Amino acid sequence: MKTTGVIFFPAFDWAISPTHPEREERLLYTRDQLFEEGIMDMPGVTEYHPRLATEKDVSRVHFCVPDIESRVTTAHMVSAGCALVMADAFMNKEVRNAFAIIRPPGHHAMTVVHGNRGFCDINNEAVMVEYLRRTYGVKRLAIVDTDVHHGDGTQEIFWHDPDVLFISFHQDGRTLYPGSGFVEEMGGPLAYGTTINIPMAPKTTDEGIHYIMDNLVMPILDEFKPEIVINSAGQDNHYSDPLANMSFTAQGYAVLNQKLKPDIAVLEGGYSIETALPYVNMGIIMAMAGIDFSNLQEPDYDPSRFKESSRNRAYIKSLVEHQLAAFRGREAVVDKHRKEGREFWGSSRSIFYDTEYLQEEQRLDLRMCPTCCGFRRISSGCAHRSGRNYSVECIAIPAACCPDCVSRGLEEYSSLKKKKSGDHIYLQDRVNDDYRTFESKAGEETVV
Amino acid sequence: MNDALIGIDVGGTYTDGVLFSDGSVVHSVKHRTDEDDLEGTLLLILDDLLAHRRAKDVRRIVLSTTLVTNLLATGRGERTALILLPGKGLPNSAYDISPDTYFLKGWIDFRGRQIEAPDPKEIEDTLKKIHASGIERIAIAGKFSNRNDSHEKMLKKTAESLYPHMDVCTSNEISGRLNFPRRAVTCYYTAMTVRDWNRFADDMEAAIRARAPHCELHILKADGGTTTLAASRKRPCETVFSGPAASTMGTLALSREELNAVSIDIGGTTSDISLLIEGQPLYASRGALIAGHLTHVSSFAVSSIPLGGDSAVYTTDGKLEIGPMRLGPAACFGGEVPTVTDAFNIMNALGLGNAQASHAALSRVAQGLQVPLDSLCRSIAGEVVERLAQSIKDMFRLWEDEPAYKVWEVVHKREFHLHQVIGIGAAAPAVVPMLAERMKVPHFLHRLSPVANALGAAVARPTLAVEVHVDTGRETYSGSPGGLSGKVDKRNYQLKDARELAQACLKQVCADRGLADYADDAQIYSEEQFNVIRGWEQEGKLFDIGIQISPGFIREFKGVEN
């Protein structure tokens, strides 16, 4: 019988700061609950040992400024490594599905990393996705972000990637960090419609979320036909979460996973460490392992406590219809963009790093390739906490790029090096699995 | 001078005994074990040993017996009811432990807070049902009873007052560790065997007192340590699997070096492998597996491979096969079929038994395969060594790949660097030198290795582990074993206070169990400290401290000459 793989990495010796929500205590009661229940001893569950992600694993996704070592804590390297352990266990068919109960989280980390955003240094799911592609040749994947906060990092990383379907349902960005994830955010010009956002009103209940699951998420997944489904499994939609305002329950989370049937789930946020996490984590393991979870509930659970309002019901219904139509019309939009015949598609924006109060200014240019998803050039500037101001150039060549985009991307990197524009010039060539950093001042290039 | 030590290890086939005094084994004996009369076997051995030393010179007798192991493994334990208070969580169907299981109200959470109280009426009705079905043994286990034992205690009190003739056992008395199913199973097995064990203990105590009235009487436990016979009466489960523990302690006693070593006990049909890490035996991380269930009994990690000195050598379809079955002793010892021992006997000219017979038996196999005899022996030996080496490496990996919960543990990943292969058991001298060569380390064989198990029992010191959980926010502590609990002062409570508390608890338990002399040998082996933050304020602290007297040797033991 194939089991559910579980890796439990609570990082009991790591915190952002002593009283920060992302502190040693966060998974302590989850540990107590999981161990006391003895769920790791059950025949349907296998526990795994963590490992460190390598710099190469991280470089496939991120441009860390100035480098990985100074930007990413060891705890984050272990956390990402745990996701990779689960990916290996799943791909090697040791387990039928896998759940990484890990901290620190990752879904707010974007492509360029100047510091910690929303408790995240690097994006655990994205690192895992690129690892799955490189190591096992997986092409099409779906990430369903069930955290209460919009998974803006994951969205940004796969914004231009038509082979990764990113669906995020979360509390409306007008009422919660990070203030994004609105309906009209649908993906880049060549990957339109593979980003789907479902902003929910505060206080939305199990009923509302399950309506969305049944009528939007599952139909879209059926049509997209991903090889692997990943649950970016935040647990802060729970009614007791101190940082958010939703009304989801442990039962609701278990049923969600029973429906979604994720191949791999990765813990994201969730800060109700006594009332929610111990029970929600149990619920997810039980659902994934096919163990009857009808006897699971929080100590203060009261089934009559949360009722969906008719107003919210109507809102969700219209939201679902709108997004389903938008998803189904995506190919026409991408076609239209391609036919515009532009050489590059450019955009500029500011990115705020809440943990460290940094402000990054970024310009992105995507090659509007007639055949593939195009390579990207990112120019980024940010004053770090150290006082130093970094201005960097990054070339990103996705694995699905055509030979023309690869050679143009490499040419661009060479010419940037020659011009020495920016303090650091980075190359992320996923086609050749080649990752480089050029330091302009020293004129030195390092290969990861 | 009362310096003599006696160790007796009851094995499945043979029972071994040694009399140890002044740094040497004065006498050793071996008898076939009579499974139906363990007491008889034990006394036979004891009397044989006592014939070589005056009883008043014997300071301590340690017994390692298979009584409880056999009761549990063969399902001969008496019918026992299991009352569970699981609260919410896994479905009741997850607890497939006893055919007489009762699920009752009562829910406690991980901080030891009561969520739902037990129902007195339901308790009385359940006890009535149990009584009506003729059951006289009850095990009671509640989820998180290690953090708050009030529900278990209340049930026990009710049961004892209503049905004083029943044996009632609660899980928090047995273990204070997390893992409710393991606690429930361990408690269930304890309730099931406690009466039989006490009967045996009564008989042994009487028999030994009659022979040596002043000597200490200890029982060897699965963790390689001893406990007094009196203390074992409440915890018979700790005596399971003491045989492999005796062997491992014996190897340690003979080698006496704090090395990373493999101890391999090569018997007739199986080889038992255990690891020593800087001289400390490796424990089974998930507790002893008894009759299909994981328990909270600490035992050594032993990997048993179906390959031994008597494993038969034969051919099927023109292919060489080795084991796993035994078809009698080696040809050199009068067997009909060639074995692993025969191959090593020829190859290394060991001169075991009738070497001619080894020759003749293996020549027939060689002819069948059309290979020269010496190359056949080399392939057999090579295959045996390879299989053992592989199993040893698997054990290293198992240890290296234990789950880790701290960044530090992942960065400093464990790696097993082997220093030595220690061989015991009848076939060890034949196989172990070549195995050690294959693993590129020296080997160690001792002339006393055939009685290493009994020697291990004779010289092992008592062990004891105490674990304390302190919750300053709730101003409580609780601990194992046996319902340690009390109040702590919230103000300015520090790690050192928690350590001192653990030490005090250990001293107390040592005193209760007649082990006061050993309390100073205890060391802290695990420590956790968490700040409890609510809002942005510190509300309290949580500490988990583990302190133990680890497996080792009694002070007067200074080694044995080889």
Side-chain angles (χ1 to χ4, degrees):
Chain A
M1 182 184 74
K2 269 207 220 160
T3 62
T4 292
V6 176
I7 197 160
F8 177 63
F9 184 70
F12 279 151
D13 53 352
W14 181 84
I16 288 182
S17 71
T19 56
H20 195 281
E22 204 46 80
R23 63 179 178 273
E24 296 90 340
E25 188 193 1
R26 187 175 160 221
L27 289 174
L28 176 62
Y29 312 109
T30 296
R31 188 270 307 262
D32 286 353
Q33 192 71 35
L34 298 184
F35 286 19
E36 176 67 355
E37 297 274 10
I39 196 160
M40 303 292 197
D41 292 351
M42 291 194 70
V45 178
T46 308
E47 190 178 5
Y48 279 80
H49 175 90
R51 75 164 189 248
L52 281 158
T54 64
E55 296 216 334
K56 201 161 189 173
D57 295 326
V58 176
S59 301
R60 276 191 203 106
V61 174
H62 295 291
F63 299 107
C64 294
V65 184
D67 51 49
I68 293 171
E69 201 188 342
S70 52
R71 212 60 304 143
V72 185
T73 66
T74 313
H76 280 90
M77 293 300 272
V78 180
S79 200
C82 287
L84 304 185
V85 171
M86 292 288 83
D88 284 334
F90 178 74
M91 293 309 295
N92 297 329
K93 300 191 164 56
E94 292 164 27
V95 297
R96 68 171 180 177
N97 52 24
F99 183 20
I101 307 174
I102 55 176
R103 61 177 286 266
H107 76 148
H108 295 304
M110 297 185 170
T111 307
V112 179
V113 176
H114 285 283
N116 185 292
R117 285 190 82 244
F119 319 164
C120 311
D121 279 356
I122 52 174
N123 193 306
N124 299 324
E125 287 89 354
V127 168
M128 181 173 78
V129 164
E130 294 311 330
Y131 177 80
L132 282 166
R133 287 172 150 173
R134 185 74 217 170
T135 314
Y136 299 103
V138 176
K139 290 204 164 55
R140 273 167 95 75
L141 303 100
I143 301 173
V144 180
D145 191 312
T146 56
D147 191 282
V148 77
H149 302 94
H150 176 228
D152 57 345
T154 315
Q155 166 169 306
E156 189 268 352
I157 289 168
F158 298 109
W159 186 253
H160 297 288
D161 191 333
D163 294 321
V164 176
L165 171 65
F166 175 71
I167 305 175
S168 177
F169 55 76
H170 44 263
Q171 186 175 325
D172 194 313
R174 289 169 298 184
T175 64
L176 191 67
Y177 178 87
S180 56
F182 298 106
V183 176
E184 48 290 354
E185 297 167 31
M186 299 269 318
L190 300 181
Y192 184 88
T194 47
T195 297
I196 299 288
N197 281 295
I198 307 152
M200 300 181 295
K203 307 281 179 211
T204 298
T205 65
D206 289 357
E207 186 196 324
I209 292 178
H210 286 303
Y211 186 87
I212 294 166
M213 282 300 295
D214 297 338
N215 298 286
L216 182 60
V217 176
M218 297 317 294
I220 288 181
L221 285 171
D222 281 346
E223 290 175 32
F224 187 76
K225 295 191 174 36
E227 295 158 61
I228 288 181
V229 175
I230 297 163
N231 180 2
S232 184
Q235 307 185 350
D236 32 16
N237 282 297
H238 193 264
Y239 61 80
S240 64
D241 197 86
L243 306 185
N245 317 88
M246 303 300 269
S247 301
F248 214 31
T249 69
Q251 276 291 321
Y253 266 109
V255 174
L256 184 154
N257 283 280
Q258 196 178 39
K259 289 179 180 168
L260 185 62
K261 294 190 181 60
D263 298 308
I264 305 171
V266 179
L267 175 65
E268 284 295 337
Y271 300 92
S272 171
I273 61 177
E274 288 203 62
T275 318
L277 265 56
Y279 308 101
V280 175
N281 278 308
M282 271 299 288
I284 296 178
I285 298 177
M286 288 162 82
M288 289 182 74
I291 299 166
D292 169 18
F293 51 80
S294 56
N295 188 41
L296 176 79
Q297 69 174 59
E298 305 84 339
D300 63 347
Y301 174 75
D302 172 4
S304 64
R305 191 162 147 198
F306 306 110
K307 283 271 176 284
E308 201 59 83
S309 70
S310 56
R311 194 169 146 226
N312 195 32
R313 249 186 234 138
Y315 162 70
I316 290 171
K317 193 160 178 277
S318 70
L319 175 68
V320 162
E321 276 167 25
H322 178 273
Q323 289 300 66
L324 194 58
F327 173 75
R328 287 180 175 153
R330 69 191 185 282
E331 276 157 9
V333 177
V334 172
D335 262 6
K336 194 183 95 201
H337 289 151
R338 266 194 227 281
K339 283 189 187 125
E340 283 170 6
R342 274 202 272 175
E343 178 75 16
F344 280 91
W345 178 90
S347 65
S348 296
R349 61 201 186 116
S350 286
I351 298 161
F352 178 59
Y353 290 69
D354 60 306
T355 314
E356 299 179 67
Y357 278 77
L358 308 178
Q359 192 78 38
E360 176 193 355
E361 298 301 329
Q362 196 186 90
R363 156 112 201 150
L364 182 142
D365 291 286
L366 167 78
R367 185 189 176 217
M368 295 294 283
C369 179
T371 52
C372 74
C373 59
F375 79 90
R376 282 165 292 158
R377 174 181 159 174
I378 303 168
S379 312
S380 162
C382 182
H384 285 200
R385 288 291 289 276
S386 62
R388 198 172 153 188
N389 202 350
Y390 282 96
S391 164
V392 301
E393 299 287 342
C394 317
I395 300 294
I397 305 174
C401 267
C402 65
D404 190 36
C405 272
V406 175
S407 65
R408 283 179 188 232
L410 293 175
E411 271 167 37
E412 185 82 18
Y413 174 66
S414 304
S415 102
L416 286 169
K417 273 201 314 192
K418 230 173 263 160
K419 282 189 269 181
K420 296 197 173 180
S421 53
D423 304 315
H424 290 81
I425 301 156
Y426 300 95
L427 172 71
Q428 180 188 79
D429 174 1
R430 287 190 200 144
V431 173
N432 300 300
D433 208 24
D434 184 19
Y435 310 94
R436 292 162 190 259
T437 306
F438 181 77
E439 212 178 321
S440 296
K441 211 179 210 170
E444 275 171 17
E445 185 176 65
T446 39
V447 180
V448 177
Chain B
M1 181 177 137
N2 73 332
D3 71 335
L5 303 167
I6 283 177
I8 301 176
D9 175 39
V10 181
T13 321
Y14 290 103
T15 296
D16 293 297
V18 298
L19 175 70
F20 184 82
S21 172
D22 199 17
S24 62
V25 170
V26 178
H27 186 62
S28 67
V29 274
K30 188 187 274 291
H31 281 295
R32 262 197 174 279
T33 304
D34 181 353
E35 290 281 354
D36 298 323
D37 184 16
L38 289 182
E39 292 157 39
T41 308
L42 276 164
L43 293 176
L44 195 66
I45 298 265
L46 183 64
D47 287 335
D48 200 337
L49 294 172
L50 284 176
H52 291 78
R53 185 61 56 110
R54 287 177 307 178
K56 71 181 174 66
D57 292 342
V58 178
R59 190 169 91 62
R60 192 179 76 156
I61 297 173
V62 181
L63 308 178
S64 152
T65 95
T66 49
L67 178 74
V68 176
T69 317
N70 288 348
L71 274 177
L72 295 174
T74 56
R76 276 187 287 139
E78 259 180 70
R79 193 171 163 196
T80 303
L82 175 62
I83 300 181
L84 296 178
L85 293 77
K88 294 288 181 181
L90 286 176
N92 290 350
S93 59
Y95 308 105
D96 183 16
I97 301 168
S98 164
D100 299 291
T101 303
Y102 300 84
F103 295 94
L104 265 56
K105 288 203 188 79
W107 179 5
I108 285 168
D109 82 351
F110 39 81
R111 296 282 298 276
R113 293 170 296 215
Q114 172 176 292
I115 309 293
E116 179 195 49
D119 173 354
K121 173 82 171 56
E122 188 188 49
I123 294 171
E124 280 185 32
D125 290 349
T126 305
L127 290 170
K128 199 183 282 173
K129 248 185 261 167
I130 292 169
H131 176 64
S133 53
I135 298 173
E136 294 188 355
R137 304 167 189 210
I138 302 180
I140 301 165
K143 205 178 280 172
F144 287 114
S145 67
N146 53 339
R147 299 281 162 86
N148 176 348
D149 59 8
S150 62
H151 291 180
E152 286 189 357
K153 271 187 175 156
M154 172 196 163
L155 249 86
K156 182 174 179 169
K157 218 173 133 193
T158 310
E160 283 177 343
S161 67
L162 292 175
Y163 305 100
H165 67 287
M166 289 197 185
D167 288 326
V168 185
C169 179
T170 60
S171 84
N172 76 86
E173 290 177 276
I174 307 302
S175 173
R177 293 193 191 149
L178 289 169
N179 201 315
F180 169 59
R182 287 187 210 166
R183 246 190 358 263
V185 167
T186 316
C187 180
Y188 174 64
Y189 286 162
T190 303
M192 184 182 277
T193 55
V194 76
R195 199 173 290 181
D196 305 77
W197 177 255
N198 277 301
R199 203 175 298 134
F200 170 81
D202 289 342
D203 293 351
M204 287 315 295
E205 192 158 17
I208 289 173
R209 286 282 162 263
R211 291 163 169 81
H214 301 294
C215 89
E216 287 179 44
L217 186 48
H218 283 220
I219 301 294
L220 192 72
K221 299 185 294 175
D223 70 355
T226 71
T227 180
T228 59
L229 182 72
S232 78
R233 286 171 177 273
K234 276 188 165 177
R235 300 181 165 66
C237 279
E238 291 180 348
T239 69
V240 299
F241 306 142
S242 57
S247 299
T248 307
M249 291 313 291
T251 8
L252 260 175
L254 295 174
S255 71
R256 290 292 283 166
E257 282 186 277
E258 297 193 349
L259 296 173
N260 290 339
V262 169
S263 157
I264 180 158
D265 184 348
I266 305 180
T269 45
T270 57
S271 297
D272 290 340
I273 301 171
S274 48
L275 296 190
L276 302 171
I277 296 157
E278 289 171 11
Q280 277 292 308
L282 176 67
Y283 284 95
S285 63
R286 312 210 295 170
L289 181 71
I290 308 175
H293 289 288
L294 290 168
T295 64
H296 272 312
V297 174
S298 314
S299 78
F300 292 157
V302 178
S303 164
S304 233
I305 305 150
L307 181 67
D310 294 348
S311 293
V313 171
Y314 57 101
T315 56
T316 33
D317 304 330
K319 242 185 95 229
L320 176 66
E321 305 264 9
I322 304 167
M325 72 287 196
R326 174 183 190 267
L327 302 170
C332 58
F333 296 122
E336 313 235 318
V337 177
T339 69
V340 166
T341 300
D342 288 311
F344 280 91
N345 197 18
I346 298 175
M347 195 179 69
N348 297 333
L350 298 174
L352 299 172
N354 175 6
Q356 282 303 317
S358 290
H359 232 275
L362 277 169
S363 293
R364 286 195 294 275
V365 178
Q367 275 158 20
L369 291 167
Q370 296 180 318
V371 291
L373 179 63
D374 59 338
S375 83
L376 172 70
C377 291
R378 271 201 306 278
S379 348
I380 295 169
E383 169 75 19
V384 168
V385 164
E386 205 46 50
R387 274 198 230 168
L388 293 175
Q390 198 49 51
S391 304
I392 291 170
K393 283 185 183 161
D394 288 345
M395 263 195 109
F396 292 172
R397 202 157 317 119
L398 224 54
W399 175 74
E400 287 166 353
D401 288 349
E402 282 289 311
Y405 305 117
K406 290 180 183 167
V407 176
W408 192 92
E409 294 168 338
V410 182
V411 175
H412 300 86
K413 188 166 166 32
R414 300 163 152 193
E415 248 182 284
F416 197 91
H417 296 288
L418 183 66
H419 300 139
Q420 196 178 52
V421 178
I422 305 173
I424 51 176
V431 181
V432 165
M434 202 171 146
L435 174 65
E437 201 177 306
R438 159 75 177 71
M439 317 255 347
K440 301 193 176 65
V441 291
H443 68 267
F444 180 87
L445 291 164
H446 197 286
R447 71 188 160 83
L448 289 174
S449 77
V451 291
N453 51 345
L455 177 67
V459 299
R461 77 173 173 200
T463 52
L464 178 67
V466 167
E467 284 159 26
V468 180
H469 175 83
V470 181
D471 187 332
T472 71
R474 304 192 67 241
E475 302 186 15
T476 58
Y477 77 88
S478 55
S480 101
L484 298 167
S485 63
K487 289 272 169 202
V488 295
D489 186 359
K490 179 178 186 157
R491 283 162 303 170
N492 202 27
Y493 200 90
Q494 301 294 331
L495 184 61
K496 82 171 185 13
D497 301 311
R499 282 186 194 140
E500 280 166 14
L501 175 67
Q503 253 141 9
C505 288
L506 180 111
K507 276 218 168 85
Q508 184 56 50
V509 178
C510 276
D512 293 348
R513 296 196 183 180
L515 306 175
D517 289 353
Y518 294 92
D520 291 340
D521 293 345
Q523 283 175 329
I524 288 175
Y525 68 91
S526 75
E527 241 173 34
E528 280 182 0
Q529 173 177 211
F530 291 93
N531 292 325
V532 178
I533 310 287
R534 294 298 169 265
W536 296 88
E537 298 293 322
Q538 183 163 328
E539 185 189 273
K541 285 182 183 172
L542 293 170
F543 299 94
D544 276 290
I545 311 287
I547 183 168
Q548 67 176 346
I549 306 168
S550 58
F553 303 105
I554 53 175
R555 287 194 199 102
E556 48 270 59
F557 178 70
K558 306 276 188 251
V560 204
E561 281 170 37
N562 197 352

